[in-house]
Amino acid sequence: MTTPPPPITEPDPSARVCSSDKAGPCTGCRRTTHRYANGGSPLCQWCMEPVQARWGSSVRFVNTRP
């Protein structure tokens, strides 16, 4: 059993190691996370966990812009 996520007011650990201009809201829960530039993800680690459980650890986000 995994530990429950901290309150939404607490940022994702990835947001603590990136500059503030690369941080943004998680698309799932709106928690601050490392969202932009290299190493960024639109989901925080707690929202990414069930996605990886369903699709595997190699799941990645692809730019769908034309």
Side-chain angles (χ1 to χ4, degrees):
M1 184 171 155
T2 61
T3 59
I8 299 296
T9 55
E10 291 290 317
D12 186 56
S14 66
R16 295 186 179 129
V17 296
C18 72
S19 60
S20 62
D21 65 327
K22 292 180 177 66
C26 168
T27 58
C29 67
R30 309 303 290 170
R31 178 189 313 272
T32 302
T33 189
H34 178 185
R35 179 136 182 220
Y36 306 105
N38 291 339
S41 171
L43 297 174
C44 70
Q45 70 179 31
W46 293 281
C47 291
M48 180 64 98
E49 201 170 276
V51 173
Q52 286 184 329
R54 182 174 180 192
W55 296 98
S57 61
S58 64
V59 67
R60 295 285 182 261
F61 294 92
V62 178
N63 185 353
T64 58
R65 294 180 184 169

